[in-house]
Amino acid sequence: MTADPSTVRRLAATVLASVTIAALALVATPGTAPAEPVPRPVSTRDFGNGPDRNAVAATDAGLAAALGASVEEAPPAASSDRAEGYPRQTRLRVYPDNPADRSIKLGLTPYHGIAPKLNDLQARSNRVSAEVIGRSALGRDLYLVTVTAPERADETRRQDRWRALIEDAPWWAARDRELLAGYKAPVWINGNIHGDEWEGTDGSLRLIEKLATATDAGTERLLRRTRIYFTVTNNPDGRIAGTRANGNGFDINRDHATSSQPESRAVRSVAIGAQPLVMLDEHGYTGTTLIEPSTAPHGQNYEYDLYIRHAYANAIGMEKAIAELGHPETQRADIPFRDYAPGDWDDWPPIFTPMYAMYHGAVGHTVEVPLQVNRGAYDSLPVEELRRRSAVNVDVVEATIRAAVSYTDANRTALIRDQIEQFRRGWAGEPQRQIPDGYVPGFGPEDRYSTTFPRAYVIPVGPGQRSPAAAARLVNHLLAHDVRVRRAVLPFTAGGVRYPTGSYVVDLHQPKRGLANAMLEAGRDLSPLVPQMYDISGWSHRLLWGASVGIVANGPLPVFSVPAHRALPAGDVSARPGQDLALTVSDGADAQAVNALLDQGVALRLRPDGTVVVPASARALAIGAARRFGVRFTAAPPGPAGTALRRPVIAAAVAGDELFALRSMGFDVRPVSTAVLNAGFDWAGVDVLMVSAGLVYSALNPAARTALDGFLARGGVVTRGNTGARFNAEAALLPVTAVAGRGDANGVVTVANGTGPVVGAGALPHVFVYSPVWFTGVGAGVTVEQRYGTLVAGHWLPNEDGTGGQEQAAGQASVVSGVAARGTGTVLFGTEPLFRAHPKGLYAQVARAVYWTATR
Ligand SMILES: [Zn+2]
């Protein structure tokens, strides 16, 4: 249960070094020029090295990180003083040839061909460094290639110091003439994050080779002034299989605020460690090449003035470069900011790589190459046509990278100064700038988004904390994202609230306040502003991750504190020896503890109120679980004995993210579908069927239906969404009518929780929805567990006929439970408690549904 040790060490050390330096820097008066820049250990920002640093399987780390309070970050290791310059050449391990790699048909480089090519280039050129920065969900190496002129170790150390100074003491950096003259401009190119959008990899490889072998003075000069980082393929699993998602079924380009997947954690380390001035995320396929900047709504936490002036000009430069390729299909580009309507291609959520990178100081662009070669085209077009298209796409990738690198080189000083300015505003706590109309061509009132930053957020410990496991998880998540968090060493009062010693403070006077606030603020209801959104438009780690978080809106922050490096899970057992113990399942970590105790053979009982009772005889094991998962056991109050609980086995017709979330809670899950059941499925040992995707009762053949009906007479059912509601109706389980909300509606909604056995009164007062469903006509014997309130953040309009909107949902049942006439304990969710592994504070509702239905 430990994360990739080198990643952990690197991130933890980065955080340690930056907060230490920040603390030192704050002692000085801003604006005082230092005699010497504050040194930062060289090893803290590099990407690690050596062949054995991914010793732990990425999937284990991912599952652990999905929930564990203590596992995402390990204690900071002593930073090595290894002084390494460039190149940093690693002999990459070579994978066996895989003739099934879907790249091959397109004439592109299969995954197994990348390492040999990079090994060869490293042998031929001292400008190329290849490193492994993580592993995919299925365990394949993720490569980072750095192209730059060779550096002595002391030169690299100086670059590292300058990079740290830009973030940690920007007012010094702005006055450091040597820095402004000598800092090598970092540019980052991410390729192939969607596995079936292949050419970002191939365009990168071609340009790497050209830069490595060019002999002209211009290239020589460029590489003395620039470092170009390439994450050559961000999704090896998808590249090989021809899928958009990674091996866990996740879209990595939606995971950057959540970091549930090893691929997004790997590029997070690049965004933080390289601190790029400019980054491109190379995708496909939009018919016409698409180059961001995006339409409104713009993320309201950006310093958007600093972004758009470069993003617009850089996009125009890329458009010119693809026109000069001479292909008829590349004569122009779509630039959403310039060419699309608000909401058609927005940069609102920080779930996309470039939007995430913006908070780390990058001018980020998604680039979509034009010509489709995936999905239907892959199977239907002749090979020659596919290869012609892919060749054009590779040209577009190379041209856009070249143009972006040229823009960076030509505007190097302005880009460095603007990154410094972004971090300086954060430290200073200055308001965002009002941007005038016409600031760049087309900038108007529809583009004006901003927020008011509170002074601080406080994550309390002690009795005021709803879930110690959730609190530790949130703190460690923020730290892993280079957000500075401090720990109070004395009690303090802020915003009228008293907080105990040990509480965590996120002071928004910090360089990455935009990212901190994007994660912790509520967001807003965008429904009145734009007709639709590109993807999700609401999220909130504060409202959905299960931890109590206070807000200090303004005023003084009188707190004695030290930098936090890692939050330890603060679980405990407060009952006396000899007393039975009670655990309230209010977080996924509580479910992990329950499942672990069941695995250890402890005789747990489930009370009608959802409390799990642990016998006094298992006290030692409970103490172990409290430490491991950060959960709280209290003395079991007098009450009914409850029903014996055994470790539930779930048959699950669910989406990949839900499967991942269920397994991260320690459930034993067997994936099923209509096809699996029709082929003959053994229901022996299965306790609960979960249905949200891929299973239609009426499409089962007679034998499969008979077998399923046999199961329904003894097992439980948990469903979610429209597919689940249809299953409920067709299997004649609970007597309710499901109503589908608008399909693209999504966001954070308030709820009123009842006192039913599943959701319970202690559940969070907010949920996440996507394609929300509610239940009317609730028949006898059905308990309304939860009702919808109002949308806090997101986008939720009614359908054109006036149905399916927020107003229709308000007050309606969002979760119901009951025992069906045929005896099946059944829970129906209209919400999205496991969506993309994000709303971690809602996982407990699913766990409780599983335990409750398993024991009916
Ligand atoms: Zn894509």
Side-chain angles (χ1 to χ4, degrees), residues 48 252 265 494 607:
I252 307 160
R265 290 196 292 274
R607 285 190 172 167

Side-chain angles (χ1 to χ4, degrees), residues 194 197 244 283-284:
H194 288 146
E197 300 164 11
R244 178 181 182 89
H283 291 250

Side-chain angles (χ1 to χ4, degrees), residues 528-559:
L529 300 175
V530 289
Q532 79 283 314
M533 293 285 286
Y534 186 80
D535 199 85
I536 63 158
S537 37
W539 65 91
S540 173
H541 302 64
R542 176 166 62 85
L543 299 180
L544 298 177
W545 275 37
S548 310
V549 182
I551 302 174
V552 182
N554 46 44
L557 195 59
V559 49

Side-chain angles (χ1 to χ4, degrees), residues 66 290 339 345 357 359 370 419 502 532 570 604 614 628 650 654 688 693 738 802 817:
L290 181 145
D339 301 325
W345 193 284
Y359 290 116
Q419 190 182 69
Q532 79 283 314
L604 303 181
V614 184
R628 182 172 167 203
I650 304 173
V654 298
V688 176
S817 65

Side-chain angles (χ1 to χ4, degrees), residues 296 298 304-305 308-309 312 337-338 433-449:
H298 305 300
Y304 194 75
D305 58 321
I308 190 60
R309 62 184 174 206
Y312 192 92
F337 180 89
R338 181 189 68 186
R433 299 293 189 266
Q434 274 288 317
I435 305 174
D437 289 353
Y439 178 78
V440 297
F443 189 95
E446 74 282 2
D447 290 307
R448 203 163 283 128
Y449 283 81

Side-chain angles (χ1 to χ4, degrees), residues 20 22 32 39 47-48 182 222 236 249 310 313 436 442 507 509 542 546 577 621 647 722 742 855:
T20 306
T32 308
F47 301 95
L222 173 76
H310 294 294
D507 183 350
H509 288 196
R542 176 166 62 85
L621 292 173
R647 191 163 188 274
N722 287 302
R742 181 162 143 158
T855 50

